Amino acid sequence: MGKLRLEPKVKPLVTGEEYENLLSTLRDAQADAGDNYIYFDLEENEKAKDVKKAFLFVAEKEGISVVIRQQRGVNSLVFSFKDDQGAGGTSGGSGRMSAEEARDRILSALKNAKGSLQKSEILKDTGVSSSTWNIRIKELIDSGEVKRDGERRDTRYTYAG
């Protein structure tokens, strides 16, 4: 006669040990984020998408408000932590930014700039995704809060407030 065997219907995203390692890394990164840019360098065999998913899983479970994105051209992740956890920030800890927060971040970057900025500079400073940028910058230009100068790669943006 056979033997009863149990297997979970859904494979856990991370093991208990991996969870603790990821949590420790997130807490260390969060503690140092005030005065530093935070990067997580991946091993050659690691996929950024999978590691990002694991970090976001742990962050959501622990209530850590973080935006994680892959850095282009290198095998690294970039962490951006929010000081005011949950207050108008990311929805449900999923790393997704509200429309209002994206507009506020763009405006803040432009207000604090000593001159005009290019799209790439604003995206780097704000953590806003390129797809979100396209929608929000149009809204800000249409409302008169942002001024656009130039075309294509030479386009620069200034706060018009």
Side-chain angles (χ1 to χ4, degrees):
M1 180 177 247
K3 176 175 140 181
L4 182 64
R5 181 169 47 98
L6 299 175
E7 290 186 15
K9 290 182 179 179
V10 178
K11 182 183 174 205
L13 191 58
V14 294
T15 66
E17 184 178 336
E18 290 170 333
Y19 187 96
E20 291 303 319
N21 288 338
L22 292 168
L23 178 58
S24 174
T25 301
L26 279 171
R27 286 188 175 149
D28 289 346
Q30 188 175 28
D32 294 331
D35 298 328
N36 301 292
Y37 293 109
I38 305 297
Y39 300 95
F40 184 80
D41 296 326
L42 302 165
E43 300 290 329
E44 280 186 40
N45 60 344
E46 289 181 305
K47 294 181 181 174
K49 178 179 138 185
D50 295 337
V51 175
K52 176 182 173 179
K53 187 175 181 180
F55 270 118
L56 290 174
F57 171 78
V58 172
E60 182 175 3
K61 292 282 187 195
E62 297 294 327
I64 298 172
S65 185
V66 62
V67 175
I68 303 173
R69 60 184 173 80
Q70 184 175 359
Q71 188 177 16
R72 286 193 175 175
V74 294
N75 202 19
S76 296
L77 298 174
V78 181
F79 292 67
S80 300
F81 293 92
K82 288 194 41 75
D83 294 332
D84 56 341
Q85 295 192 16
T90 58
S91 61
S94 68
R96 198 169 291 254
M97 184 181 305
S98 71
E100 182 180 350
E101 182 179 358
R103 284 190 297 270
D104 289 347
R105 286 186 182 194
I106 293 168
L107 285 174
S108 178
L110 290 170
K111 285 178 188 176
N112 295 330
K114 300 228 186 289
S116 61
L117 296 174
Q118 290 183 309
K119 174 183 173 180
S120 61
E121 295 170 308
I122 298 169
L123 294 182
K124 182 179 176 187
D125 290 345
T126 62
V128 173
S129 71
S130 188
S131 58
T132 298
W133 162 268
N134 294 330
I135 297 165
R136 304 302 160 227
I137 197 65
K138 183 178 183 333
E139 293 171 350
L140 291 169
I141 291 169
D142 290 347
S143 71
E145 295 175 87
V146 172
K147 183 180 174 202
R148 176 183 174 172
D149 297 310
E151 294 293 324
R152 302 181 190 252
R153 290 182 184 259
D154 294 329
T155 304
R156 299 190 70 81
Y157 301 89
T158 52
Y159 177 68

